[in-house]
């Protein structure tokens, strides 16, 4: 499984790795129908160039992955998560897919060092780093990451966690990340779909936690729009 397809570069790489395993299949999902950098092209359009690889591929686009998970089914053994890199993005994506992962599944997160990368250091892009840390399970990161840049230490930009029974028992650490600043708000439709999905798999405590964080962040955003800084920024944007 893959969440976040864009042009389909990572899909092609994974399909190429799967081609020797005839029973294996890659399910890819993207929120957007069109490639986010050029919506005239479809999400995943790269894969059209590889007819042989495409035979082992199913693509779902349009809306959150929870819309499609019952069609895809459980026992997923591998998942690359590479979506928003902003809260609540991957936190909600991971919680959506967790009930469909088998024990022993590997979940790979891309861009785990965006907040601390040599050139960008976008402090609010902490989602994949904090999420990988919060998920209970054995972690895998590439070695040798302190080399390569003489001026600034380099942290790994990709990492994985192995899902186990323990992961399902330590959910507070993950839900609690949802209290940290959301640079964007999911739509009301997405929010409603998330509740319906989570109600099937998570205890009442987490459902009310989720409702509270949505209310909190919508209120913070509304209040933020009333601040002088926001009004000045809006005025500059219009001008
Ligand atoms: C960084 S790109 C993916 C790059 C791709 N994995 C690769 O390496 O070639 C992020 C993609 O995630 C998609 N996206 C954003 N939020 C999403 C979500 N909640 N679920 C699925 N896809 C999402 C965007 O539309 C975009 O295409």
């Amino acid at each position: 499984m893959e969440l976040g397809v864009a042009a389909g570069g990572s899909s092609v790489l994974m399909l190429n790795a799967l081609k020797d395993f005839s029973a294996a299949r890659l399910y890819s999902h993207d929120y957007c129908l069109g490639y986010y950098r050029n919506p005239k092209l479809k999400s995943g359009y790269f894969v059209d160039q590889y007819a042989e690889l495409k035979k082992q591929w199913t693509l779902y686009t349009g809306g959150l992955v929870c819309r499609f998970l019952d069609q895809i089914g459980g026992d997923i053994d591998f998942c690359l998560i590479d979506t928003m890199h902003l809260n609540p993005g991957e936190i909600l994506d991971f919680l959506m897919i967790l009930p469909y992962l088998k024990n022993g599944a590997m979940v790979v997160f891309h861009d785990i060092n965006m907040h601390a990368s040599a050139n960008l250091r976008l402090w609010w892009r902490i989602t994949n780093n904090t999420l990988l840390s919060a998920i209970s399970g054995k972690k895998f990161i590439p070695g040798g990451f302190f080399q390569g840049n003489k001026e600034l230490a380099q942290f790994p930009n990709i990492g994985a966690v192995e899902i186990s029974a323990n992961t399902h028992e330590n959910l507070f650490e993950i839900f609690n990340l949802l209290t940290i600043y959301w640079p964007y708000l999911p739509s009301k439709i997405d929010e409603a779909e998330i509740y319906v999905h989570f109600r099937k798999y998570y205890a009442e405590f987490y459902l009310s936690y989720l409702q509270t964080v949505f209310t909190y962040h919508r209120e913070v955003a509304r209040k933020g729009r009333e601040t002088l800084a926001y009004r000045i920024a809006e005025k500059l944007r219009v001008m």
Side-chain angles (χ1 to χ4, degrees):
M1 179 92 213
E2 168 187 40
L3 305 185
V5 176
S10 49
S11 315
V12 169
L13 281 174
M14 288 193 279
L15 285 167
N16 191 49
L18 286 190
K19 67 180 187 305
D20 300 327
F21 304 92
S22 56
R25 192 153 196 90
L26 174 67
Y27 295 88
S28 297
H29 164 262
D30 201 286
Y31 187 91
C32 299
L33 302 172
Y35 172 37
Y36 77 110
R37 289 193 169 167
N38 180 358
K40 285 188 202 138
L41 300 165
K42 285 181 300 169
S43 290
Y45 74 95
F46 265 6
V47 186
D48 292 339
Q49 297 169 37
Y50 301 88
E52 270 309 299
L53 298 183
K54 208 175 165 182
K55 290 178 186 158
Q56 284 173 273
W57 194 51
T58 307
L59 173 67
Y60 295 95
T61 52
L64 293 170
V65 71
C66 58
R67 278 191 193 175
F68 308 103
L69 282 167
D70 285 335
Q71 287 172 58
I72 295 167
D75 269 356
I76 295 167
D77 57 9
F78 182 94
C79 185
L80 168 66
I81 305 188
D82 186 18
T83 58
M84 285 300 280
H85 313 339
L86 291 172
N87 287 355
E90 279 88 344
I91 307 169
L92 293 173
D93 295 334
F94 176 76
L95 288 167
M96 280 182 241
I97 201 162
L98 177 61
Y100 295 77
L101 299 173
K102 65 155 95 163
N103 282 348
M106 297 294 287
V107 179
V108 179
F109 291 98
H110 193 222
D111 288 327
I112 59 173
N113 83 358
M114 275 190 122
H115 63 298
S117 66
N119 305 320
L120 297 173
R121 290 196 291 289
L122 307 172
W123 68 262
W124 60 97
R125 307 203 83 157
I126 51 172
T127 310
N128 292 3
N129 184 286
T130 51
L131 181 56
L132 178 64
S133 296
I135 299 169
S136 182
K138 188 175 174 197
K139 308 285 165 54
F140 297 82
I141 51 167
F145 46 85
F146 283 108
Q147 292 140 29
N149 185 318
K150 292 191 184 77
E151 287 145 35
L152 217 53
Q154 291 286 282
F155 301 107
N157 199 31
I158 194 159
V161 54
E162 185 178 348
I163 302 303
S164 68
N166 214 16
T167 314
H168 297 267
E169 282 157 22
N170 295 287
L171 295 176
F172 179 77
E173 290 77 354
I174 304 170
F175 274 89
N176 197 39
L177 291 179
L178 291 168
T179 62
I180 301 170
Y181 174 59
W182 291 9
Y184 78 100
L185 287 168
S187 72
K188 292 269 184 183
I189 292 172
D190 289 348
E191 181 182 346
E193 287 184 13
I194 290 166
Y195 289 139
V196 170
H197 185 74
F198 279 34
R199 193 154 286 129
K200 290 193 267 179
Y201 300 107
Y202 295 111
E204 192 51 47
F205 171 80
Y206 292 115
L207 295 176
S208 40
Y209 211 86
L210 187 68
Q211 246 158 355
T212 309
V213 289
F214 263 104
T215 307
Y216 167 75
H217 288 293
R218 292 206 187 282
E219 185 68 0
V220 166
R222 192 185 62 75
K223 286 209 168 108
R225 285 193 292 274
E226 288 165 5
T227 63
L228 182 61
Y230 185 92
R231 287 205 300 271
I232 292 170
E234 276 293 280
K235 207 165 184 123
L236 290 173
R237 199 171 60 84
V238 172
M239 283 154 51

